[in-house]
């Protein structure tokens, strides 16, 4: 899988792999917060993406994992990605009474752009953040 080319020289980059368990979403959130402390929504976005990986992909099955990558660019922009182990391409229809289904709308509102690379064998969901 490839990630978008961002052309930022001098970016600082960090990676961490987590077990595909619900309680690891908090650990991923703290990892992102530690590396992007000046981006107040970065940890919320990471939490949403990690939750989706655990709940909707093979990452959440026994032995599953997800990897978080964080990049901080000299111009203040940032990049976050969550790599999962793939799964279905649709997660169900959003309804007024269904608890889930709104997280990616939140991601859209808080990021410059976002996207998905990969397929049912494994995906990377990535976001670009504006300077704080």
């Amino acid at each position: 899988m490839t990630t978008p080319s961002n052309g930022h020289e001098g970016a600082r980059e960090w990676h961490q792999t987590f077990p595909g368990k619900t309680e690891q979403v908090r650990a991923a959130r703290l990892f992102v917060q530690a590396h992007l402390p000046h981006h107040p929504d970065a940890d919320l976005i990471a939490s949403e993406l990690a939750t989706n990986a655990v709940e909707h992909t093979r990452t959440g099955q026994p032995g599953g994992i997800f990897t978080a990558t964080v990049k901080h660019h000299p111009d203040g922009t940032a990049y976050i990605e969550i790599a999962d182990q793939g799964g279905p391409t649709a997660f169900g229809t959003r309804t007024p009474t269904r608890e889930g289904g709104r997280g990616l709308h939140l991601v859209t509102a808080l990021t410059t752009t976002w996207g998905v690379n990969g397929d049912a064998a494994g995906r990377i969901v990535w976001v670009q953040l504006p300077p704080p």
Side-chain angles (χ1 to χ4, degrees), residues 47 66 77 85 111 116 118 122 124 129:
S47 179
F66 66 94
T77 61
Q85 294 184 295
T111 63
V116 180
I124 293 175
L129 300 173

Side-chain angles (χ1 to χ4, degrees), residues 10-82:
R12 291 178 291 167
E13 183 172 332
W14 302 269
H15 307 272
Q16 187 166 334
T17 299
F18 302 88
K21 299 178 185 256
T22 303
E23 61 269 15
Q24 291 299 305
V25 171
R26 183 175 189 274
R29 185 178 180 133
L30 293 172
F31 167 76
V32 170
Q33 187 177 49
H35 294 294
L36 297 175
H38 301 296
H39 287 269
D41 298 320
D43 59 334
L44 175 62
I45 293 164
S47 179
E48 177 59 34
L49 300 182
T51 297
N52 285 351
V54 171
E55 290 185 359
H56 301 296
T57 76
R58 284 189 292 279
T59 289
Q61 295 176 359
I65 60 169
F66 66 94
T67 300
T69 298
V70 176
K71 296 179 187 176
H72 183 263
H73 304 289
D75 65 0
T77 61
Y79 171 88
I80 302 168
E81 71 179 36
I82 301 293

